[in-house]
PDB file of all heavy atoms in Angstrom:
ATOM      1  N   GLU A  25    -203.438 241.724   3.958  1.00  0.00           N
ATOM      2  CA  GLU A  25    -204.308 240.564   3.793  1.00  0.00           C
ATOM      3  C   GLU A  25    -203.675 239.332   4.437  1.00  0.00           C
ATOM      4  O   GLU A  25    -202.457 239.190   4.478  1.00  0.00           O
ATOM      5  CB  GLU A  25    -204.568 240.296   2.305  1.00  0.00           C
ATOM      6  CG  GLU A  25    -205.277 241.429   1.591  1.00  0.00           C
ATOM      7  CD  GLU A  25    -205.487 241.125   0.114  1.00  0.00           C
ATOM      8  OE1 GLU A  25    -204.911 240.116  -0.360  1.00  0.00           O
ATOM      9  OE2 GLU A  25    -206.198 241.888  -0.551  1.00  0.00           O
ATOM     10  N   ALA A  26    -204.531 238.438   4.904  1.00  0.00           N
ATOM     11  CA  ALA A  26    -204.089 237.149   5.449  1.00  0.00           C
ATOM     12  C   ALA A  26    -204.350 236.074   4.397  1.00  0.00           C
ATOM     13  O   ALA A  26    -205.446 235.996   3.841  1.00  0.00           O
ATOM     14  CB  ALA A  26    -204.846 236.830   6.735  1.00  0.00           C
ATOM     15  N   ARG A  27    -203.333 235.252   4.127  1.00  0.00           N
ATOM     16  CA  ARG A  27    -203.511 234.190   3.136  1.00  0.00           C
ATOM     17  C   ARG A  27    -202.538 233.066   3.425  1.00  0.00           C
ATOM     18  O   ARG A  27    -201.525 233.243   4.104  1.00  0.00           O
ATOM     19  CB  ARG A  27    -203.299 234.732   1.723  1.00  0.00           C
ATOM     20  CG  ARG A  27    -201.912 235.292   1.453  1.00  0.00           C
ATOM     21  CD  ARG A  27    -201.793 235.724  -0.001  1.00  0.00           C
ATOM     22  NE  ARG A  27    -200.521 236.329  -0.326  1.00  0.00           N
ATOM     23  CZ  ARG A  27    -199.413 235.646  -0.575  1.00  0.00           C
ATOM     24  NH1 ARG A  27    -199.408 234.328  -0.493  1.00  0.00           N
ATOM     25  NH2 ARG A  27    -198.290 236.281  -0.885  1.00  0.00           N
ATOM     26  N   TYR A  28    -202.836 231.904   2.874  1.00  0.00           N
ATOM     27  CA  TYR A  28    -201.967 230.748   3.058  1.00  0.00           C
ATOM     28  C   TYR A  28    -200.795 230.819   2.091  1.00  0.00           C
ATOM     29  O   TYR A  28    -200.951 231.194   0.925  1.00  0.00           O
ATOM     30  CB  TYR A  28    -202.744 229.444   2.842  1.00  0.00           C
ATOM     31  CG  TYR A  28    -203.753 229.189   3.926  1.00  0.00           C
ATOM     32  CD1 TYR A  28    -205.102 229.431   3.711  1.00  0.00           C
ATOM     33  CD2 TYR A  28    -203.353 228.747   5.174  1.00  0.00           C
ATOM     34  CE1 TYR A  28    -206.036 229.224   4.719  1.00  0.00           C
ATOM     35  CE2 TYR A  28    -204.271 228.539   6.187  1.00  0.00           C
ATOM     36  CZ  TYR A  28    -205.612 228.783   5.952  1.00  0.00           C
ATOM     37  OH  TYR A  28    -206.522 228.595   6.954  1.00  0.00           O
ATOM     38  N   GLY A  29    -199.643 230.462   2.590  1.00  0.00           N
ATOM     39  CA  GLY A  29    -198.457 230.436   1.754  1.00  0.00           C
ATOM     40  C   GLY A  29    -198.342 229.134   0.993  1.00  0.00           C
ATOM     41  O   GLY A  29    -199.053 228.164   1.267  1.00  0.00           O
ATOM     42  N   ALA A  30    -197.431 229.127   0.034  1.00  0.00           N
ATOM     43  CA  ALA A  30    -197.222 227.939  -0.802  1.00  0.00           C
ATOM     44  C   ALA A  30    -195.965 227.179  -0.410  1.00  0.00           C
ATOM     45  O   ALA A  30    -195.618 226.187  -1.059  1.00  0.00           O
ATOM     46  CB  ALA A  30    -197.147 228.351  -2.269  1.00  0.00           C
ATOM     47  N   GLY A  31    -195.293 227.626   0.648  1.00  0.00           N
ATOM     48  CA  GLY A  31    -194.088 226.938   1.089  1.00  0.00           C
ATOM     49  C   GLY A  31    -194.401 225.737   1.964  1.00  0.00           C
ATOM     50  O   GLY A  31    -195.562 225.354   2.155  1.00  0.00           O
ATOM     51  N   GLU A  32    -193.356 225.144   2.536  1.00  0.00           N
ATOM     52  CA  GLU A  32    -193.515 223.951   3.372  1.00  0.00           C
ATOM     53  C   GLU A  32    -194.297 224.288   4.643  1.00  0.00           C
ATOM     54  O   GLU A  32    -193.984 225.233   5.359  1.00  0.00           O
ATOM     55  CB  GLU A  32    -192.149 223.381   3.747  1.00  0.00           C
ATOM     56  CG  GLU A  32    -192.220 222.122   4.582  1.00  0.00           C
ATOM     57  CD  GLU A  32    -190.860 221.597   4.993  1.00  0.00           C
ATOM     58  OE1 GLU A  32    -189.841 222.222   4.604  1.00  0.00           O
ATOM     59  OE2 GLU A  32    -190.801 220.583   5.708  1.00  0.00           O
ATOM     60  N   ALA A  33    -195.331 223.509   4.931  1.00  0.00           N
ATOM     61  CA  ALA A  33    -196.157 223.743   6.113  1.00  0.00           C
ATOM     62  C   ALA A  33    -195.555 223.050   7.335  1.00  0.00           C
ATOM     63  O   ALA A  33    -194.819 222.059   7.218  1.00  0.00           O
ATOM     64  CB  ALA A  33    -197.576 223.244   5.873  1.00  0.00           C
ATOM     65  N   PHE A  34    -195.871 223.558   8.504  1.00  0.00           N
ATOM     66  CA  PHE A  34    -195.411 222.952   9.752  1.00  0.00           C
ATOM     67  C   PHE A  34    -196.419 223.273  10.842  1.00  0.00           C
ATOM     68  O   PHE A  34    -197.270 224.141  10.684  1.00  0.00           O
ATOM     69  CB  PHE A  34    -194.014 223.455  10.130  1.00  0.00           C
ATOM     70  CG  PHE A  34    -193.967 224.927  10.481  1.00  0.00           C
ATOM     71  CD1 PHE A  34    -194.015 225.355  11.801  1.00  0.00           C
ATOM     72  CD2 PHE A  34    -193.868 225.886   9.485  1.00  0.00           C
ATOM     73  CE1 PHE A  34    -193.972 226.699  12.118  1.00  0.00           C
ATOM     74  CE2 PHE A  34    -193.822 227.247   9.785  1.00  0.00           C
ATOM     75  CZ  PHE A  34    -193.870 227.649  11.106  1.00  0.00           C
ATOM     76  N   LYS A  35    -196.308 222.574  11.953  1.00  0.00           N
ATOM     77  CA  LYS A  35    -197.179 222.824  13.109  1.00  0.00           C
ATOM     78  C   LYS A  35    -196.363 223.393  14.256  1.00  0.00           C
ATOM     79  O   LYS A  35    -195.157 223.154  14.372  1.00  0.00           O
ATOM     80  CB  LYS A  35    -197.864 221.526  13.555  1.00  0.00           C
ATOM     81  CG  LYS A  35    -199.094 221.137  12.737  1.00  0.00           C
ATOM     82  CD  LYS A  35    -199.782 219.943  13.378  1.00  0.00           C
ATOM     83  CE  LYS A  35    -201.158 219.692  12.774  1.00  0.00           C
ATOM     84  NZ  LYS A  35    -201.085 219.276  11.364  1.00  0.00           N
ATOM     85  N   ALA A  36    -197.034 224.128  15.118  1.00  0.00           N
ATOM     86  CA  ALA A  36    -196.418 224.556  16.372  1.00  0.00           C
ATOM     87  C   ALA A  36    -196.293 223.360  17.301  1.00  0.00           C
ATOM     88  O   ALA A  36    -196.874 222.298  17.062  1.00  0.00           O
ATOM     89  CB  ALA A  36    -197.260 225.656  17.009  1.00  0.00           C
ATOM     90  N   PHE A  37    -195.531 223.551  18.398  1.00  0.00           N
ATOM     91  CA  PHE A  37    -195.227 222.446  19.315  1.00  0.00           C
ATOM     92  C   PHE A  37    -195.496 222.886  20.739  1.00  0.00           C
ATOM     93  O   PHE A  37    -195.142 223.993  21.147  1.00  0.00           O
ATOM     94  CB  PHE A  37    -193.763 222.040  19.146  1.00  0.00           C
ATOM     95  CG  PHE A  37    -193.368 220.813  19.921  1.00  0.00           C
ATOM     96  CD1 PHE A  37    -193.666 219.544  19.439  1.00  0.00           C
ATOM     97  CD2 PHE A  37    -192.698 220.923  21.133  1.00  0.00           C
ATOM     98  CE1 PHE A  37    -193.297 218.408  20.150  1.00  0.00           C
ATOM     99  CE2 PHE A  37    -192.332 219.796  21.849  1.00  0.00           C
ATOM    100  CZ  PHE A  37    -192.633 218.536  21.352  1.00  0.00           C
ATOM    101  N   ASP A  38    -196.154 222.014  21.492  1.00  0.00           N
ATOM    102  CA  ASP A  38    -196.410 222.242  22.913  1.00  0.00           C
ATOM    103  C   ASP A  38    -195.284 221.584  23.707  1.00  0.00           C
ATOM    104  O   ASP A  38    -195.238 220.356  23.820  1.00  0.00           O
ATOM    105  CB  ASP A  38    -197.761 221.629  23.293  1.00  0.00           C
ATOM    106  CG  ASP A  38    -198.137 221.871  24.753  1.00  0.00           C
ATOM    107  OD1 ASP A  38    -197.218 222.050  25.579  1.00  0.00           O
ATOM    108  OD2 ASP A  38    -199.339 221.854  25.061  1.00  0.00           O
ATOM    109  N   PRO A  39    -194.332 222.359  24.264  1.00  0.00           N
ATOM    110  CA  PRO A  39    -193.197 221.748  24.955  1.00  0.00           C
ATOM    111  C   PRO A  39    -193.560 221.080  26.277  1.00  0.00           C
ATOM    112  O   PRO A  39    -192.816 220.227  26.757  1.00  0.00           O
ATOM    113  CB  PRO A  39    -192.243 222.924  25.175  1.00  0.00           C
ATOM    114  CG  PRO A  39    -193.131 224.118  25.211  1.00  0.00           C
ATOM    115  CD  PRO A  39    -194.253 223.829  24.268  1.00  0.00           C
ATOM    116  N   THR A  40    -194.696 221.450  26.845  1.00  0.00           N
ATOM    117  CA  THR A  40    -195.109 220.833  28.116  1.00  0.00           C
ATOM    118  C   THR A  40    -195.651 219.433  27.889  1.00  0.00           C
ATOM    119  O   THR A  40    -195.293 218.486  28.593  1.00  0.00           O
ATOM    120  CB  THR A  40    -196.169 221.705  28.812  1.00  0.00           C
ATOM    121  OG1 THR A  40    -195.635 223.018  29.022  1.00  0.00           O
ATOM    122  CG2 THR A  40    -196.548 221.109  30.151  1.00  0.00           C
ATOM    123  N   LEU A  41    -196.502 219.286  26.880  1.00  0.00           N
ATOM    124  CA  LEU A  41    -197.101 217.987  26.591  1.00  0.00           C
ATOM    125  C   LEU A  41    -196.289 217.176  25.588  1.00  0.00           C
ATOM    126  O   LEU A  41    -196.495 215.972  25.445  1.00  0.00           O
ATOM    127  CB  LEU A  41    -198.524 218.173  26.065  1.00  0.00           C
ATOM    128  CG  LEU A  41    -199.519 218.859  27.010  1.00  0.00           C
ATOM    129  CD1 LEU A  41    -200.879 218.985  26.336  1.00  0.00           C
ATOM    130  CD2 LEU A  41    -199.634 218.082  28.319  1.00  0.00           C
ATOM    131  N   GLY A  42    -195.401 217.859  24.856  1.00  0.00           N
ATOM    132  CA  GLY A  42    -194.623 217.172  23.841  1.00  0.00           C
ATOM    133  C   GLY A  42    -195.439 216.782  22.627  1.00  0.00           C
ATOM    134  O   GLY A  42    -195.176 215.758  21.994  1.00  0.00           O
ATOM    135  N   THR A  43    -196.432 217.610  22.279  1.00  0.00           N
ATOM    136  CA  THR A  43    -197.312 217.301  21.150  1.00  0.00           C
ATOM    137  C   THR A  43    -197.387 218.484  20.198  1.00  0.00           C
ATOM    138  O   THR A  43    -197.148 219.628  20.583  1.00  0.00           O
ATOM    139  CB  THR A  43    -198.730 216.971  21.639  1.00  0.00           C
ATOM    140  OG1 THR A  43    -199.238 218.086  22.404  1.00  0.00           O
ATOM    141  CG2 THR A  43    -198.724 215.727  22.510  1.00  0.00           C
ATOM    142  N   GLU A  44    -197.746 218.207  18.944  1.00  0.00           N
ATOM    143  CA  GLU A  44    -197.946 219.270  17.973  1.00  0.00           C
ATOM    144  C   GLU A  44    -199.298 219.938  18.203  1.00  0.00           C
ATOM    145  O   GLU A  44    -200.212 219.348  18.791  1.00  0.00           O
ATOM    146  CB  GLU A  44    -197.863 218.710  16.558  1.00  0.00           C
ATOM    147  CG  GLU A  44    -196.461 218.277  16.158  1.00  0.00           C
ATOM    148  CD  GLU A  44    -196.388 217.849  14.707  1.00  0.00           C
ATOM    149  OE1 GLU A  44    -197.401 217.306  14.193  1.00  0.00           O
ATOM    150  OE2 GLU A  44    -195.333 218.060  14.070  1.00  0.00           O
ATOM    151  N   ILE A  45    -199.418 221.183  17.726  1.00  0.00           N
ATOM    152  CA  ILE A  45    -200.626 221.973  17.926  1.00  0.00           C
ATOM    153  C   ILE A  45    -201.162 222.402  16.566  1.00  0.00           C
ATOM    154  O   ILE A  45    -200.407 222.878  15.710  1.00  0.00           O
ATOM    155  CB  ILE A  45    -200.342 223.239  18.761  1.00  0.00           C
ATOM    156  CG1 ILE A  45    -199.405 222.947  19.935  1.00  0.00           C
ATOM    157  CG2 ILE A  45    -201.634 223.872  19.250  1.00  0.00           C
ATOM    158  CD1 ILE A  45    -198.815 224.195  20.558  1.00  0.00           C
ATOM    159  N   ALA A  46    -202.449 222.257  16.368  1.00  0.00           N
ATOM    160  CA  ALA A  46    -203.092 222.745  15.148  1.00  0.00           C
ATOM    161  C   ALA A  46    -203.167 224.278  15.200  1.00  0.00           C
ATOM    162  O   ALA A  46    -203.133 224.872  16.282  1.00  0.00           O
ATOM    163  CB  ALA A  46    -204.485 222.141  15.017  1.00  0.00           C
ATOM    164  N   PRO A  47    -203.280 224.936  14.054  1.00  0.00           N
ATOM    165  CA  PRO A  47    -203.379 224.390  12.708  1.00  0.00           C
ATOM    166  C   PRO A  47    -202.006 224.279  12.056  1.00  0.00           C
ATOM    167  O   PRO A  47    -200.988 224.597  12.683  1.00  0.00           O
ATOM    168  CB  PRO A  47    -204.216 225.449  11.981  1.00  0.00           C
ATOM    169  CG  PRO A  47    -203.726 226.737  12.598  1.00  0.00           C
ATOM    170  CD  PRO A  47    -203.482 226.409  14.057  1.00  0.00           C
ATOM    171  N   ASP A  48    -201.979 223.880  10.792  1.00  0.00           N
ATOM    172  CA  ASP A  48    -200.758 223.958  10.010  1.00  0.00           C
ATOM    173  C   ASP A  48    -200.433 225.419   9.728  1.00  0.00           C
ATOM    174  O   ASP A  48    -201.332 226.233   9.486  1.00  0.00           O
ATOM    175  CB  ASP A  48    -200.921 223.235   8.668  1.00  0.00           C
ATOM    176  CG  ASP A  48    -200.871 221.722   8.818  1.00  0.00           C
ATOM    177  OD1 ASP A  48    -200.395 221.244   9.872  1.00  0.00           O
ATOM    178  OD2 ASP A  48    -201.302 221.022   7.887  1.00  0.00           O
ATOM    179  N   PHE A  49    -199.134 225.741   9.752  1.00  0.00           N
ATOM    180  CA  PHE A  49    -198.688 227.084   9.380  1.00  0.00           C
ATOM    181  C   PHE A  49    -198.096 227.016   7.989  1.00  0.00           C
ATOM    182  O   PHE A  49    -197.176 226.242   7.730  1.00  0.00           O
ATOM    183  CB  PHE A  49    -197.676 227.622  10.391  1.00  0.00           C
ATOM    184  CG  PHE A  49    -198.329 228.031  11.671  1.00  0.00           C
ATOM    185  CD1 PHE A  49    -198.560 227.095  12.665  1.00  0.00           C
ATOM    186  CD2 PHE A  49    -198.756 229.336  11.865  1.00  0.00           C
ATOM    187  CE1 PHE A  49    -199.206 227.446  13.837  1.00  0.00           C
ATOM    188  CE2 PHE A  49    -199.403 229.691  13.038  1.00  0.00           C
ATOM    189  CZ  PHE A  49    -199.629 228.750  14.021  1.00  0.00           C
ATOM    190  N   ALA A  50    -198.667 227.799   7.091  1.00  0.00           N
ATOM    191  CA  ALA A  50    -198.247 227.771   5.694  1.00  0.00           C
ATOM    192  C   ALA A  50    -196.948 228.552   5.549  1.00  0.00           C
ATOM    193  O   ALA A  50    -196.922 229.775   5.734  1.00  0.00           O
ATOM    194  CB  ALA A  50    -199.333 228.385   4.819  1.00  0.00           C
ATOM    195  N   GLY A  51    -195.890 227.846   5.274  1.00  0.00           N
ATOM    196  CA  GLY A  51    -194.602 228.507   5.115  1.00  0.00           C
ATOM    197  C   GLY A  51    -194.578 229.417   3.897  1.00  0.00           C
ATOM    198  O   GLY A  51    -195.284 229.199   2.910  1.00  0.00           O
ATOM    199  N   ALA A  52    -193.770 230.450   3.972  1.00  0.00           N
ATOM    200  CA  ALA A  52    -193.597 231.356   2.847  1.00  0.00           C
ATOM    201  C   ALA A  52    -192.661 230.734   1.821  1.00  0.00           C
ATOM    202  O   ALA A  52    -191.884 229.823   2.123  1.00  0.00           O
ATOM    203  CB  ALA A  52    -193.032 232.686   3.330  1.00  0.00           C
ATOM    204  N   ASN A  53    -192.733 231.233   0.588  1.00  0.00           N
ATOM    205  CA  ASN A  53    -191.757 230.851  -0.431  1.00  0.00           C
ATOM    206  C   ASN A  53    -191.089 232.128  -0.947  1.00  0.00           C
ATOM    207  O   ASN A  53    -191.357 233.233  -0.471  1.00  0.00           O
ATOM    208  CB  ASN A  53    -192.401 230.040  -1.559  1.00  0.00           C
ATOM    209  CG  ASN A  53    -193.490 230.810  -2.295  1.00  0.00           C
ATOM    210  OD1 ASN A  53    -193.569 232.037  -2.204  1.00  0.00           O
ATOM    211  ND2 ASN A  53    -194.321 230.092  -3.038  1.00  0.00           N
ATOM    212  N   LEU A  54    -190.215 231.977  -1.925  1.00  0.00           N
ATOM    213  CA  LEU A  54    -189.450 233.126  -2.401  1.00  0.00           C
ATOM    214  C   LEU A  54    -190.338 234.166  -3.077  1.00  0.00           C
ATOM    215  O   LEU A  54    -190.027 235.363  -3.042  1.00  0.00           O
ATOM    216  CB  LEU A  54    -188.345 232.659  -3.341  1.00  0.00           C
ATOM    217  CG  LEU A  54    -187.274 231.761  -2.684  1.00  0.00           C
ATOM    218  CD1 LEU A  54    -186.204 231.382  -3.699  1.00  0.00           C
ATOM    219  CD2 LEU A  54    -186.639 232.451  -1.478  1.00  0.00           C
ATOM    220  N   ASP A  55    -191.440 233.743  -3.681  1.00  0.00           N
ATOM    221  CA  ASP A  55    -192.377 234.710  -4.250  1.00  0.00           C
ATOM    222  C   ASP A  55    -192.982 235.586  -3.155  1.00  0.00           C
ATOM    223  O   ASP A  55    -193.169 236.797  -3.337  1.00  0.00           O
ATOM    224  CB  ASP A  55    -193.488 233.998  -5.023  1.00  0.00           C
ATOM    225  CG  ASP A  55    -193.024 233.489  -6.380  1.00  0.00           C
ATOM    226  OD1 ASP A  55    -192.017 234.028  -6.897  1.00  0.00           O
ATOM    227  OD2 ASP A  55    -193.652 232.562  -6.900  1.00  0.00           O
ATOM    228  N   ASP A  56    -193.305 234.967  -2.009  1.00  0.00           N
ATOM    229  CA  ASP A  56    -193.844 235.744  -0.889  1.00  0.00           C
ATOM    230  C   ASP A  56    -192.826 236.774  -0.403  1.00  0.00           C
ATOM    231  O   ASP A  56    -193.191 237.896  -0.040  1.00  0.00           O
ATOM    232  CB  ASP A  56    -194.228 234.815   0.258  1.00  0.00           C
ATOM    233  CG  ASP A  56    -195.353 233.859  -0.103  1.00  0.00           C
ATOM    234  OD1 ASP A  56    -196.316 234.305  -0.742  1.00  0.00           O
ATOM    235  OD2 ASP A  56    -195.234 232.661   0.234  1.00  0.00           O
ATOM    236  N   VAL A  57    -191.565 236.385  -0.368  1.00  0.00           N
ATOM    237  CA  VAL A  57    -190.506 237.321   0.024  1.00  0.00           C
ATOM    238  C   VAL A  57    -190.473 238.511  -0.919  1.00  0.00           C
ATOM    239  O   VAL A  57    -190.429 239.680  -0.494  1.00  0.00           O
ATOM    240  CB  VAL A  57    -189.138 236.613   0.049  1.00  0.00           C
ATOM    241  CG1 VAL A  57    -188.000 237.624   0.207  1.00  0.00           C
ATOM    242  CG2 VAL A  57    -189.085 235.592   1.176  1.00  0.00           C
ATOM    243  N   ARG A  58    -190.494 238.227  -2.219  1.00  0.00           N
ATOM    244  CA  ARG A  58    -190.428 239.309  -3.208  1.00  0.00           C
ATOM    245  C   ARG A  58    -191.640 240.237  -3.094  1.00  0.00           C
ATOM    246  O   ARG A  58    -191.514 241.469  -3.172  1.00  0.00           O
ATOM    247  CB  ARG A  58    -190.324 238.723  -4.612  1.00  0.00           C
ATOM    248  CG  ARG A  58    -188.939 238.158  -4.934  1.00  0.00           C
ATOM    249  CD  ARG A  58    -188.820 237.785  -6.391  1.00  0.00           C
ATOM    250  NE  ARG A  58    -189.525 236.538  -6.678  1.00  0.00           N
ATOM    251  CZ  ARG A  58    -188.974 235.336  -6.631  1.00  0.00           C
ATOM    252  NH1 ARG A  58    -187.698 235.210  -6.269  1.00  0.00           N
ATOM    253  NH2 ARG A  58    -189.666 234.250  -6.924  1.00  0.00           N
ATOM    254  N   ILE A  59    -192.816 239.659  -2.879  1.00  0.00           N
ATOM    255  CA  ILE A  59    -194.026 240.484  -2.769  1.00  0.00           C
ATOM    256  C   ILE A  59    -193.962 241.353  -1.512  1.00  0.00           C
ATOM    257  O   ILE A  59    -194.239 242.557  -1.561  1.00  0.00           O
ATOM    258  CB  ILE A  59    -195.277 239.589  -2.755  1.00  0.00           C
ATOM    259  CG1 ILE A  59    -195.456 238.904  -4.118  1.00  0.00           C
ATOM    260  CG2 ILE A  59    -196.520 240.403  -2.413  1.00  0.00           C
ATOM    261  CD1 ILE A  59    -196.508 237.812  -4.119  1.00  0.00           C
TER     262      ILE A  59
END
């Protein structure tokens, strides 16, 4: 299954333009690791 994590979110980065790229990536937490 695909689902959003509860850890710290971050965005990808475009190194050519020097800008962030949508969407936010939902970071995993320790519960996600255990599961």
